[in-house]
Amino acid sequence: MSRIEEKITLFIDDQRIECTPGTTIIEAADSVGIYIPRFCYHEKLSVVASCRMCLVEVEKAPKTLPACATPVANDMHVYTRSQKARQSQKAVMEFLLINHPLDCPICDQGGECELQDIAMGYGEGVSKFTKDKRVVYDENLGPLVATDMTRCIHCTRCVRFGTEIAGIEELGALKRGNHMNIGTYLKKGLKSELSGNVIDICPVGALTSKPYRFHGRSWGFSQHVSVSPHDCVGSNTYIHSINNGNNLDIMRVVPRKNDNVNETWLSDRDRFSYEGIQHKKRLTRPLVKKNGQWKEVSWAHVVSYIADCLKQVTDSKGGQKIAALAHPSSTCEEFYLLQKLFRQLGSNNLDFRLKESDFKDQYQINYTTNLSGSFEDIEQSRCITLIGANTRNDQPMLNHRIRKAVLSGADCIRIDSHMSPMNFKTTYDFLTPHDEWSSNLAQLLHAVLNIKKQPVPKSIQPHKPTDDITKLAKTICKHKSGYIFVGKHVMHHENASSMRAIIQAIAKETNHTITFVSEGANTIGGAKMGMLPYLGETIGLDKEAIFKKPMSILWLHQLDPEHDMTHYAEIKNKLEKSFVISCNAYDSDELRSYADVIIPACTFAEMSGTFINLLGQQQRFHAALPPLGDSKAGWKIIAAIAQTMQLNSFNYPHSQAVVDEFNGNHFDFNYQENVLPETIANGNGHHSWVSFDHPFNVDAITRHAKALQEVAKDDDWTVRINSRVAKYYGINHDGAATLRFEAKNTKVFVVIDELVADKTIIVGKEVATLLPKNCKIELESNHDK
Amino acid sequence: MNNKREFDSSVTKQIDAWKKKFPKEKPESSIIMSLRFIQDHYGWLSDKHLDMLADYLDLAPIRVYEVASFYSMYHRKPVGKYVLGICGSISCMLRGSEPLLHHLETKLDIKLGDTTKDGLFTLKEVECLASCTKAPAMVVNGTQYVEDLTPESLDKLVDNLRQGEQL
Amino acid sequence: MKQNLVCYRTFEEKSPSSFETYKKFNGYTTWEKLLKGKMKPSEVIDAIKAAGLMGRGGAGFPTGLKMSFINRDKEGQKYLVCNSDESEPGTSKDRFIMQKNPHQLIEGMAIAAYTMGATVGYNYMRGEFMKEFESCEKALKEAKKAGLIGKNILGTGINFELINIIGAGAYIVGEETAMLESIEGKRAMPRFKPPFPANYGLYGKPTTVNNTESLASIPVILDKGAEWFKKLGTEKSGGTKIFSVSGHVAKPGVFEIPMGTPFKDLLELAGGMLDNRGCKAVIPGGSSMKIVPGKTMLKAEMSYEGMQSVGSAIGSGGVIVMDDRTCMVEALACVIKFYEDESCGQCTPCREGTNWLHQNLRDIIAGKGKIKDVDLLVEIAGKIEGKTICAFGEAVAWPVQSFIEHFRDEFEFYCKNGYSKVKGK
Ligand SMILES: Cc1cc2nc3c(=O)[nH]c(=O)nc-3n(C[C@H](O)[C@H](O)[C@H](O)COP(=O)(O)O)c2cc1C
Ligand code: SF4
Ligand code: FES
């Protein structure tokens, strides 16, 4: 249906403007590039009209009016630079500077301070104010955001950001009048995953970046288009770097506006991870292990050495004895060339599903399905079901859209083994013990089929829905459409295949769209580029199978098995027995203990590349820095090896040529109809452990980012259980404990958390690396002795 | 683990009754009066009380801090048994509130804003009490008006209270 | 002179606040007429318009016109709010309505609410008004018991829930949109208008805010007729008005008198000047209004137009009288200190400007003033005026401008000599 939009005509500084009713003067002015000074106004926040900087003259109005809050009217004449307007603006500017320290030379905001800019254009120069300035006490807001509250001009953007966007009400306006100040009151640090955005929205230097503090001045920066490599949203960014003599240093990462992706926001992970890029643990030289000794070698040497190894093995044993695993945040170029190399060598042993272990249904689930439409569409949804998906932790900008939907009335249902607090109110939270996922999902399907008056398949029949589950099913069925987001707590589960099959059946029955919110930046890219074992002429080994027997050659691409894979305790032994070529950016003792060849690879910041996000958009980015030391782009390394081996068509002048090739070359996914499992097990009633990664540990870059790690490190040795599980172990309060498994033990810190499901033990990253699959755990408090 | 403190049931009863004055989905509307119930019961509002109220009304603590720091009748520090608030606004000032204030400072041997050592009196200056036609005026413990003040009537009041008489 | 004809009409009775007393004054008959359909909402609005009732809270906006802004037939919740914040320095009138004639306020609120289609009304009293709160609660209980307030009133299917609430100390709550924020449990920060409360008010619903005196006048107007009411006052200012006379008068007090009464007569009612001193100056409508020299006031009449003609306004009816011993510099400093203490802090000019003004005045009184500070005071006031969200900006600016306009010599003297011209060294 087309509606003829009513239009209003007005004149700003005699320029004729057409806009829709309800537009404010500032929006109309912005739309034609007329700048009206402002502080409290921010296009993404509610309008408070309190700073009064945007006062303009409106014909017939006795007073000057705030452009940010005054709606346009037909035939309105607005003057933004008339004498009357300027008088008002100057007055406000003078008032603002009364209590503002004039310390621009030492302020981090210097050069990009809205107050400084506007003061130049609208101020009086010297203030008549000769009194004492307000004294304001500073607050420590944690490792990410630095404060200097004497500079605050009380615009309340940060407060509104907290309430309206982050959904975390932490900052507020305290006291009143001239004593008003902005703070958290009880000196609590900021706990939002989006907290860094206050740095961008604060118009002055009151809230600045702690890692960036005193490192640079914006006027010396060069700006590079980039894309965040940590999640499947692919937030658009700029990397700002500076030339420090010989080196380009990254100074900071800021959001690049894209209303369809991250709007003007950035998650803390995406903003502060850059600290990991120039980490001292970065690999800068190719290394080869000879007789147990590591030796630095030249590129020419390492390339021909690898080529020789590959040739020897494939010549003697065929392609079956070689395999490649890549991190899901690898670029399309890397995925594509890696599988191309291995397939030409006769191997289909390719995978990026590093933490998954159940692939029985791999022909039934489409790893390349992306969300159709845009992220904005999610805001319109009426029902969103999160199954094992902690979007707030793992995809903060996707979560932001879900939050908007919920704020406008959508139902949100969560099913998970740990409900970490959300920044919006969910309709139902259903906690399932780690061991009872399949059965609970089967009950949900059962309830849905009952509601829809459909026959219940035999395998589902024994799983009679509880009242809670029926309630949940009713809510989902109430909505004719909706989103089901399936997250990593399902994907990583030992029974993932049955769980996915059931969820797909639920989605089909309810007509809700199912989306696997994938890990890393480029899971969809990995699938589309063919980095899966079943896309060749024969079917190769999946990640689980690869670790069944030692490989003659195992290529690890941008991944650290200790943290990027599960059950390291078990795979370590296989790694040691294989010939491991690690194409990696970071050095570590652990890496040197199992690897045989180490090739220094660039991070995303030092090369151009492509990620495909959850919407299926190919997002290109460019190098912001030259490669560190002798490191090289992953795709170039692979191409060089292939060329040395004289394989077919690996001659790419630049990465765009790789993109052009993969865009013309689609893999054939012959997906099969979803089949429900024949039996669905009930839980075995035992306690089982599971590792839910901290969002700041998702890849090597974040694991090397200093400020992020200050936040994340508390979780490393933590074990979370609810009070019933605690009681079972005789623990009655948070504190140090000993965790025993298979006759070994380790010190941990127990947190009693009622948001953990029964019979479930959630362990931190370091604990997880020690524990064998399904091992039995004992916990004992260290306090009560 | 469970170190959550709870309000006295007489306080929660008052809060629950007051909540009914507002729409169910607007618990924040009752913050302002709840803080007074708490203050009336415990004498003043500690940080802990603010957190407890936030918890009780299921609101972000900052929303409670914001309100508690905005309105002037809340005591954010311990106060005496009787808080004497002398009005310093124009109508009372014209009728001599300033000398009266000094009179009280001498009589109680404290400065404005302080509390007597015996914990009986806290002296405050407040803004216009709408007692302008009975100036100078004062309010004791927030809501009890004492008007047409003179040095003599103040002396008598203080002496009586010191002897344990009711207001 | 006739006194106490409207809001204070029960005051002479033995128990003025009781239900029975109010009934004697034809109490609740208009409300019942309305309930029984013998009077239509549109007639109420017409009568109030014809009576010339103007808002008694300070701004003087025509009450009938404001009522007509609400579309009573539009679906959804609507609210009426009675502004009993009474915090403007010099003003002490609404509290007596609540103490001694609460039923008339209840009936006024019921009528106004029904006329606008509001089923819930809040009476918001300032934090100190516990006595008034209790008196209103008691009256409300009686009215409910009589079946006049609540659900399905007198079996008509009409609902009106009246809720008394009380604040916690903040002058700015008196500003109508700040009051709405405060009812919502927030800091009392005035909202930018538009949208006006009639469209987006309490909890985002259409809302009307009226002063206590305005609402309590309504039952009398409807009972005795618009014409009767109007004729009490002048052509342009209908009815009576309550004035609280404070400061240097012999018998300060509260007087409900016809609009248009000469100031001279009002002063006489208040016992004349204290100690028979000369009348130096008067602030006629609460401390936010402009000060007027005594001799001008003595020739003026107390009405909207009368006060306008002497360059001030009737405001809230808080008449502050100053005799010839008053130091105008100190008086202004006292007024400005109030505004500095009470600024909510959101608008830059008000937050920063009130503090600046007060610091300047303090310095002058401390003997640290310079002659150019007098002009600076006027300049700062001019930079605040008209640049804030609510009229608080004017409330600060007007006293500064008018005090200096009329008594500049005292200010300059203080700056030059470091002590008060009136009080000496
Ligand atoms: C700073 C400020 C303080 C105010 N204080 C009061 C007050 O204490 N009582 C009141 O009735 N109106 C007060 N008002 C006026 C109200 O905003 C509003 O105009 C009035 O309540 C409307 O009622 P009326 O039309 O019946 O006068 C104040 C206005 C401002 C700007
Ligand atoms: S800290 Fe910055 S964003 Fe927050 S109110 Fe102050 S100036 Fe505005
Ligand atoms: S930008 Fe308009 S008032 Fe602040």
Side-chain angles (χ1 to χ4, degrees):
Chain A
M1 201 177 69
S2 79
R3 216 180 89 224
I4 300 162
E5 283 268 333
E6 202 190 329
K7 286 272 184 195
I8 272 181
T9 309
L10 78 156
F11 300 84
I12 301 183
D13 296 342
D14 297 322
Q15 183 171 341
R16 187 192 149 95
I17 301 168
E18 284 212 338
C19 55
T20 48
T23 310
T24 56
I25 295 176
I26 215 166
E27 287 168 336
D30 281 351
S31 73
V32 294
I34 297 177
Y35 182 74
I36 298 173
R38 80 236 10 220
F39 292 115
C40 64
Y41 173 77
H42 187 280
E43 57 169 343
K44 297 283 180 195
L45 302 175
S46 66
V47 173
V48 287
S50 64
C51 75
R52 318 307 286 171
M53 191 61 225
C54 66
L55 293 172
V56 292
E57 180 176 354
V58 176
E59 204 174 73
K60 295 199 198 89
K63 307 181 199 173
T64 46
L65 299 176
C68 67
T70 307
V72 296
N74 218 1
D75 210 26
M76 189 183 232
H77 287 255
V78 178
Y79 302 96
T80 71
R81 306 291 283 148
S82 66
Q83 207 204 341
K84 198 170 158 188
R86 290 194 60 121
Q87 249 172 14
S88 289
Q89 292 159 1
K90 271 189 179 162
V92 173
M93 202 59 227
E94 188 178 1
F95 283 131
L96 279 172
L97 292 177
I98 286 180
N99 276 307
H100 191 81
L102 299 175
D103 61 348
C104 309
I106 56 151
C107 174
D108 259 343
Q109 197 85 359
E112 50 185 352
C113 171
E114 293 176 44
L115 187 68
Q116 197 181 31
D117 292 348
I118 296 175
M120 307 272 193
Y122 301 83
E124 281 258 15
V126 182
S127 167
K128 297 193 190 72
F129 186 79
T130 50
K131 315 286 175 194
D132 295 340
K133 293 197 187 245
R134 182 165 42 226
V135 180
V136 185
Y137 293 97
D138 246 346
E139 285 210 54
N140 184 355
L141 295 182
L144 305 179
V145 179
T147 61
D148 188 337
M149 283 320 209
T150 51
R151 299 186 186 132
C152 170
I153 56 166
H154 307 93
C155 70
T156 73
R157 282 188 194 175
C158 56
V159 177
R160 282 174 284 146
F161 172 81
T163 333
E164 295 164 19
I165 307 294
I168 293 294
E169 301 173 72
E170 295 176 316
L171 286 165
L174 301 162
K175 305 211 184 147
R176 73 183 184 207
N178 188 46
H179 301 287
M180 180 165 109
N181 64 70
I182 302 293
T184 59
Y185 182 72
L186 287 182
K187 320 267 172 281
K188 300 173 176 172
L190 296 175
K191 280 190 214 73
S192 163
E193 69 285 6
L194 301 176
S195 67
N197 290 296
V198 297
I199 296 163
D200 296 336
I201 60 168
C202 179
V204 294
L207 302 173
T208 53
S209 161
K210 218 173 235 184
Y212 162 73
R213 212 165 195 196
F214 310 132
H215 280 309
R217 285 312 196 123
S218 59
W219 51 77
F221 290 171
S222 44
Q223 169 164 298
H224 313 272
V225 168
S226 193
V227 174
S228 276
H230 309 298
D231 66 38
C232 58
V233 173
S235 286
N236 290 195
T237 60
Y238 285 119
I239 295 180
H240 287 164
S241 63
I242 194 165
N243 201 330
N244 276 345
N246 304 329
N247 282 327
L248 267 183
D249 283 338
I250 298 195
M251 286 288 111
R252 61 177 180 189
V253 172
V254 295
R256 176 160 54 91
K257 186 176 168 178
N258 182 340
D259 273 332
N260 191 20
V261 181
N262 49 313
E263 302 176 64
T264 49
W265 313 122
L266 206 54
S267 69
D268 287 354
R269 182 171 62 194
D270 291 346
R271 183 185 300 271
F272 296 108
S273 67
Y274 73 86
E275 281 194 296
I277 291 168
Q278 287 167 316
H279 195 275
K280 58 181 189 308
K281 282 278 184 188
R282 278 290 301 278
L283 289 159
T284 53
R285 301 267 179 278
L287 296 163
V288 172
K289 184 149 71 181
K290 287 263 168 68
N291 307 324
Q293 293 294 309
W294 284 100
K295 248 182 73 183
E296 277 187 14
V297 296
S298 70
W299 268 110
H301 179 90
V302 81
V303 166
S304 61
Y305 178 58
I306 294 170
D308 278 353
C309 296
L310 284 169
K311 187 160 165 27
Q312 263 183 33
V313 172
T314 47
D315 281 354
S316 62
K317 304 180 187 166
Q320 280 81 343
K321 294 306 289 176
I322 63 170
L325 293 169
H327 192 279
S329 288
S330 308
T331 61
C332 287
E333 289 80 348
E334 292 169 299
F335 280 136
Y336 182 75
L337 293 191
L338 195 57
Q339 63 80 31
K340 185 170 170 183
L341 169 66
F342 274 70
R343 289 212 159 94
Q344 286 201 18
L345 296 173
S347 172
N348 284 303
N349 305 335
L350 302 161
D351 220 333
F352 58 81
R353 299 168 298 180
L354 304 179
K355 294 197 170 183
E356 297 186 32
S357 58
D358 181 2
F359 303 116
K360 289 196 278 297
D361 61 340
Q362 62 184 355
Y363 311 104
Q364 278 156 242
I365 70 160
N366 186 345
Y367 283 99
T368 66
T369 37
N370 47 262
L371 207 55
S372 57
S374 74
F375 287 121
E376 264 172 307
D377 294 343
I378 297 170
E379 297 172 18
Q380 315 305 323
S381 169
R382 310 309 308 149
C383 183
I384 291 156
T385 309
L386 301 175
I387 307 184
N390 186 334
T391 47
R392 180 167 178 211
N393 273 352
D394 295 328
Q395 295 85 17
M397 293 322 306
L398 168 64
N399 192 62
H400 172 61
R401 306 289 183 161
I402 298 176
R403 177 171 183 271
K404 285 203 224 175
V406 171
L407 289 187
S408 61
D411 280 313
C412 178
I413 293 155
R414 282 199 292 171
I415 305 174
D416 216 326
S417 298
H418 182 215
M419 296 296 165
S420 62
M422 279 306 218
N423 49 1
F424 50 80
K425 281 217 160 63
T426 47
T427 318
Y428 288 113
D429 281 348
F430 185 87
L431 268 179
T432 168
H434 181 72
D435 210 28
E436 293 168 18
W437 266 101
S438 312
S439 164
N440 282 320
L441 289 171
Q443 289 182 40
L444 182 61
L445 175 59
H446 194 146
V448 166
L449 292 169
N450 284 348
I451 293 166
K452 301 270 173 191
K453 304 210 163 52
Q454 294 298 314
V456 179
K458 224 165 145 210
S459 62
I460 302 296
Q461 275 171 17
H463 302 273
K464 298 262 181 303
T466 60
D467 291 351
D468 274 354
I469 287 190
T470 305
K471 244 193 256 165
L472 223 147
K474 276 189 185 146
T475 307
I476 300 177
C477 292
K478 196 169 81 190
H479 300 282
K480 296 219 159 49
S481 68
Y483 288 95
I484 297 177
F485 291 110
V486 182
K488 65 184 187 191
H489 303 159
V490 169
M491 305 302 270
H492 297 172
H493 201 280
E494 306 85 83
N495 300 331
S497 63
S498 2
M499 287 154 64
R500 284 185 292 237
I502 301 169
I503 299 167
Q504 297 212 77
I506 294 169
K508 187 169 167 236
E509 203 54 58
T510 54
N511 192 36
H512 287 213
T513 313
I514 186 168
T515 305
F516 300 103
V517 276
S518 45
E519 262 174 283
N522 202 21
T523 294
I524 291 183
K528 284 198 171 156
M529 296 307 112
M531 192 71 198
L532 285 167
Y534 53 87
L535 295 176
E537 272 154 26
T538 57
I539 294 171
L541 303 176
D542 57 44
K543 169 235 140 189
E544 276 300 278
I546 288 171
F547 281 99
K548 285 265 154 28
K549 282 183 246 136
M551 283 285 141
S552 297
I553 291 180
L554 179 57
W555 178 292
L556 300 182
H557 198 82
Q558 300 275 27
L559 79 93
D560 166 7
E562 188 179 6
H563 298 118
D564 290 324
M565 304 185 70
T566 39
H567 310 303
Y568 182 64
E570 273 149 41
I571 57 181
K572 180 158 187 193
N573 163 280
K574 301 289 183 335
L575 286 170
E576 280 164 353
K577 290 188 182 140
S578 304
F579 185 84
V580 174
I581 301 170
S582 177
C583 182
N584 208 333
Y586 296 89
D587 200 358
S588 72
D589 292 345
E590 203 60 33
L591 168 66
R592 290 187 183 224
S593 75
Y594 60 73
D596 298 277
V597 182
I598 298 175
I599 336 178
C602 298
T603 66
F604 78 104
E606 299 135 79
M607 60 184 179
S608 52
T610 311
F611 292 138
I612 301 182
N613 70 2
L614 198 57
L615 298 178
Q617 295 167 325
Q618 280 190 12
Q619 301 201 97
R620 290 275 294 158
F621 56 88
H622 301 286
L625 301 175
L628 200 76
D630 274 352
S631 66
K632 281 194 196 310
W635 68 270
K636 284 191 184 162
I637 299 169
I638 300 163
I641 294 167
Q643 279 178 300
T644 309
M645 296 180 79
Q646 295 179 332
L647 297 177
N648 279 335
S649 57
F650 272 92
N651 191 4
Y652 302 99
H654 39 64
S655 69
Q656 184 63 43
V658 186
V659 179
D660 294 342
E661 182 175 321
F662 66 62
N663 278 337
N665 192 348
H666 291 288
F667 284 90
D668 204 2
F669 295 84
N670 280 318
Y671 285 107
Q672 297 162 4
E673 184 83 15
N674 186 40
V675 192
L676 285 172
E678 275 164 26
T679 57
I680 294 157
N682 284 314
N684 61 16
H686 294 150
H687 289 163
S688 41
W689 71 268
V690 52
S691 161
F692 285 174
D693 306 327
H694 191 284
F696 295 168
N697 286 332
V698 292
D699 53 43
I701 297 176
T702 60
R703 286 192 298 267
H704 288 85
K706 189 162 143 261
L708 293 182
Q709 285 310 308
E710 265 176 62
V711 179
K713 66 172 188 259
D714 287 349
D715 260 21
D716 288 355
W717 291 97
T718 298
V719 166
R720 287 179 185 274
I721 46 180
N722 71 25
S723 57
R724 286 172 298 278
V725 175
K727 201 164 158 205
Y728 172 85
Y729 291 118
I731 295 176
N732 47 27
H733 51 75
D734 294 2
T738 304
L739 182 147
R740 293 182 217 290
F741 61 98
E742 302 191 341
K744 288 182 228 142
N745 66 56
T746 181
K747 295 237 173 321
V748 296
F749 189 90
V750 169
V751 172
I752 300 180
D753 179 348
E754 300 311 334
L755 300 175
V756 179
D758 279 338
K759 292 174 238 162
T760 305
I761 300 166
I762 297 181
V763 305
K765 138 175 161 257
E766 296 301 332
V767 185
T769 58
L770 305 173
L771 302 178
K773 209 183 260 185
N774 299 331
C775 72
K776 201 164 177 276
I777 284 183
E778 290 297 333
L779 281 166
E780 189 185 334
S781 166
N782 291 355
H783 271 287
D784 304 323
K785 278 188 246 160
Chain B
M1 180 188 55
N2 189 6
N3 52 3
K4 226 164 82 180
R5 285 216 334 242
E6 271 167 22
F7 291 120
D8 194 89
S9 65
S10 66
V11 175
T12 49
K13 222 186 253 165
Q14 282 176 301
I15 295 177
D16 293 345
W18 197 265
K19 257 163 88 174
K20 298 210 179 87
K21 291 182 178 259
F22 305 101
K24 243 217 290 312
E25 67 285 5
K26 305 284 178 189
E28 59 272 28
S29 282
S30 41
I31 298 177
I32 292 178
M33 198 59 192
S34 300
L35 287 171
R36 278 184 69 177
F37 292 139
I38 297 165
Q39 173 164 305
D40 288 348
H41 188 87
Y42 298 100
W44 64 291
L45 298 171
S46 69
D47 293 346
K48 184 89 200 169
H49 287 137
L50 305 188
D51 280 342
M52 281 157 70
L53 180 64
D55 198 51
Y56 190 74
L57 296 176
D58 196 16
L59 296 168
I62 189 74
R63 296 283 93 93
V64 178
Y65 309 150
E66 283 189 324
V67 169
S69 65
F70 187 88
Y71 296 92
S72 61
M73 287 174 68
Y74 300 129
H75 306 310
R76 302 302 332 285
K77 282 195 222 112
V79 288
K81 184 168 178 205
Y82 298 104
V83 181
L84 312 181
I86 300 263
C87 173
S89 297
I90 184 74
S91 297
C92 287
M93 179 263 200
L94 292 174
R95 302 292 291 210
S97 61
E98 213 182 310
L100 267 184
L101 190 69
H102 296 315
H103 179 84
L104 260 186
E105 282 182 329
T106 317
K107 169 112 188 146
L108 298 173
D109 194 22
I110 49 172
K111 287 264 158 270
L112 197 62
D114 291 345
T115 302
T116 52
K117 283 208 193 75
D118 58 7
L120 217 47
F121 299 100
T122 299
L123 189 56
K124 275 179 58 164
E125 192 181 46
V126 298
E127 296 296 358
C128 181
L129 291 166
S131 269
C132 317
T133 61
K134 297 196 170 105
M138 143 173 118
V139 68
V140 182
N141 290 347
T143 56
Q144 279 159 300
Y145 280 76
V146 187
E147 299 171 318
D148 293 319
L149 297 171
T150 59
E152 297 73 40
S153 71
L154 268 178
D155 285 349
K156 199 163 152 226
L157 179 94
V158 169
D159 293 340
N160 287 347
L161 291 176
R162 274 185 178 153
Q163 275 156 29
E165 278 183 34
Q166 293 296 306
L167 202 59
Chain C
M1 187 194 323
K2 286 191 200 132
Q3 280 190 53
N4 299 357
L5 291 175
V6 182
C7 297
Y8 285 2
R9 58 184 175 152
T10 59
F11 281 24
E12 313 296 325
E13 299 293 311
K14 211 145 96 243
S15 49
S17 64
S18 75
F19 185 68
E20 291 71 32
T21 305
Y22 187 55
K23 283 296 248 188
K24 278 206 302 207
F25 284 82
N26 262 354
Y28 290 113
T29 49
T30 310
W31 177 225
E32 284 175 18
K33 251 162 84 182
L34 211 57
L35 287 166
K36 292 184 182 138
K38 290 187 190 145
M39 188 188 251
K40 288 204 288 285
S42 61
E43 291 173 59
V44 174
I45 292 180
D46 291 344
I48 293 170
K49 280 186 183 162
L53 178 64
M54 314 254 245
R56 302 300 197 219
F61 193 83
T63 307
L65 184 60
K66 202 196 274 185
M67 288 172 90
S68 69
F69 290 155
I70 301 258
N71 175 2
R72 101 180 281 281
D73 299 322
K74 203 177 146 197
E75 287 222 357
Q77 184 66 56
K78 297 175 209 66
Y79 292 102
L80 171 73
V81 173
C82 174
N83 187 341
S84 300
D85 191 56
E86 186 141 83
S87 300
E88 171 82 3
T91 315
S92 174
K93 60 176 183 87
D94 296 338
R95 51 187 301 207
F96 303 114
I97 300 177
M98 293 182 283
Q99 282 177 17
K100 299 200 213 162
N101 193 7
H103 281 289
Q104 189 164 316
L105 177 59
I106 293 175
E107 183 178 9
M109 283 184 73
I111 294 169
Y114 177 70
T115 303
M116 294 180 282
T119 54
V120 177
Y122 285 98
N123 183 13
Y124 188 127
M125 288 160 247
R126 61 176 291 165
E128 291 85 355
F129 280 180
M130 201 40 100
K131 187 169 164 197
E132 291 73 10
F133 176 77
E134 278 158 10
S135 147
C136 286
E137 284 283 276
K138 179 171 162 278
L140 179 60
K141 226 186 226 159
E142 291 170 340
K144 281 188 171 174
K145 204 169 140 218
L148 292 162
I149 302 290
K151 284 214 168 60
N152 188 18
I153 301 169
L154 303 179
T156 55
I158 295 168
N159 304 322
F160 177 60
E161 209 53 67
L162 200 164
I163 298 160
N164 294 313
I165 54 174
I166 184 160
Y171 164 68
I172 195 63
V173 167
E175 199 280 339
E176 56 180 4
T177 54
M179 178 164 280
L180 302 179
E181 291 281 301
S182 188
I183 300 175
E184 292 181 8
K186 303 183 200 146
R187 302 154 63 77
M189 301 281 202
R191 300 176 184 167
F192 180 76
K193 288 136 278 199
F196 289 93
N199 292 318
Y200 188 92
L202 183 58
Y203 303 123
K205 301 289 189 287
T207 303
T208 303
V209 184
N210 283 112
N211 170 255
T212 323
E213 184 185 347
S214 315
L215 287 165
S217 302
I218 291 174
V220 186
I221 293 173
L222 298 176
D223 184 39
K224 304 216 165 165
E227 201 51 22
W228 173 86
F229 183 83
K230 191 179 166 81
K231 282 223 168 107
L232 291 174
T234 65
E235 177 57 30
K236 287 193 180 131
S237 313
T240 58
K241 171 81 192 84
I242 310 173
F243 294 102
S244 42
V245 185
S246 65
H248 296 138
V249 293
K251 283 191 278 173
V254 189
F255 310 96
E256 184 172 47
I257 55 171
M259 284 280 196
T261 304
F263 169 71
K264 197 162 50 49
D265 297 356
L266 178 60
L267 185 58
E268 213 162 282
L269 277 177
M273 293 301 292
L274 183 67
D275 303 335
N276 284 320
R277 304 290 305 203
C279 177
K280 181 173 185 177
V282 178
I283 308 177
S287 71
S288 308
M289 297 299 139
K290 292 190 173 174
I291 195 165
V292 181
K295 52 181 193 304
T296 316
M297 269 312 273
L298 287 164
K299 285 181 260 167
E301 61 166 46
M302 301 304 289
S303 63
Y304 290 102
E305 63 277 21
M307 285 299 104
Q308 201 185 352
S309 72
V310 296
S312 190
I314 217 143
S316 59
V319 181
I320 306 165
V321 181
M322 302 177 199
D323 70 16
D324 49 14
R325 288 171 295 192
T326 315
C327 169
M328 287 302 162
V329 181
E330 289 172 12
L332 180 64
C334 176
V335 169
I336 295 308
K337 173 181 176 287
F338 173 86
Y339 291 107
E340 195 212 350
D341 271 2
E342 297 294 347
S343 164
C344 82
Q346 66 171 330
C347 300
T348 307
C350 176
R351 176 182 66 245
E352 307 293 342
T354 48
N355 171 46
W356 194 358
L357 286 171
H358 189 218
Q359 281 202 36
N360 257 324
L361 284 160
R362 268 203 314 249
D363 284 355
I364 293 176
I365 289 171
K368 291 189 284 188
K370 301 195 188 65
I371 289 282
K372 67 177 195 323
D373 284 344
V374 182
D375 284 330
L376 184 57
L377 285 169
V378 179
E379 191 188 317
I380 300 169
K383 286 178 175 170
I384 303 174
E385 183 187 11
K387 294 176 191 64
T388 51
I389 288 180
C390 81
F392 193 104
E394 283 72 43
V396 189
W398 290 347
V400 176
Q401 293 161 343
S402 60
F403 269 70
I404 294 177
E405 181 191 336
H406 296 300
F407 304 98
R408 177 177 274 270
D409 58 324
E410 281 189 38
F411 285 83
E412 289 184 346
F413 185 95
Y414 222 134
C415 290
K416 224 186 292 170
N417 302 297
Y419 61 88
S420 165
K421 184 178 177 189
V422 184
K423 295 187 163 169
K425 269 198 188 168

